[in-house]
Amino acid sequence: MSTESLLSLPVQAPLSSAKPPDTSPLVSRLAESFGASWVDIDTIDAWAALGGDRVVLFAGDAVRFPEGQDVAVVLPELQRSLGGRFEIGVVQRHLEDALARRYGSQRWPTLLFLRDGQYVTTLSGMHDWDDFLRKAEEALAAPVTRPPGIGIPLVSAAANDSSCH
């Protein structure tokens, strides 16, 4: 009779807070060091519905769009300079395209502004500090609207008195 026995331990998947493999260290740093939330197509509605102003960074591919890394560095400073008026969301690189399409964003990098779960606007590209600060203030003051999309907006015939015939 053998006195040896095998011990079987469960194997667990790594925690989801680990840096996504395709996401740059500077974007991951926003979540790790500045309290940004990871969002995706399935979680953004619940995150945005938590209320207040929220800004999501679509940094894009770090090689093709290096200015996305600049925006990732500047975003916490922008948040601080604006009195912490918004929460930050970041998206894993491989999930950015689908989420960006949902909000009509076609440029990289882009900051998506949401308020109380609704679309406000986007701010694309990297800017000089004073311009960036001014444009972010304007975005935070802008009213909610519908996201741009493909198609022709519908206008009621009663909206104006003229007709095309």
Side-chain angles (χ1 to χ4, degrees), residues 52-55 75-76 78-80 82-88 113 136 140:
D53 287 302
R54 297 181 175 261
V55 176
L75 189 53
L78 198 59
Q79 181 188 43
R80 187 181 59 76
L82 293 170
R85 289 178 42 200
F86 59 88
E87 298 295 323
I88 299 172
F113 288 78
L140 290 169

Side-chain angles (χ1 to χ4, degrees), residues 11 17 22 28 35 48 50 59 63 68-69 79 92 98 106 112 122 146-147 161 165:
V11 177
S17 63
D22 65 339
S28 294
L50 292 173
V63 174
Q69 305 310 293
Q79 181 188 43
Q92 293 179 24
Q106 299 176 354
L112 166 66
T122 58
R146 73 174 198 57
D161 293 16
H165 296 288

Side-chain angles (χ1 to χ4, degrees), residues 3-28:
T3 59
E4 291 183 33
S5 62
L6 294 176
L7 177 62
S8 178
L9 298 174
V11 177
Q12 295 179 340
L15 297 176
S16 62
S17 63
K19 175 189 159 310
D22 65 339
T23 302
S24 80
L26 291 173
V27 172
S28 294

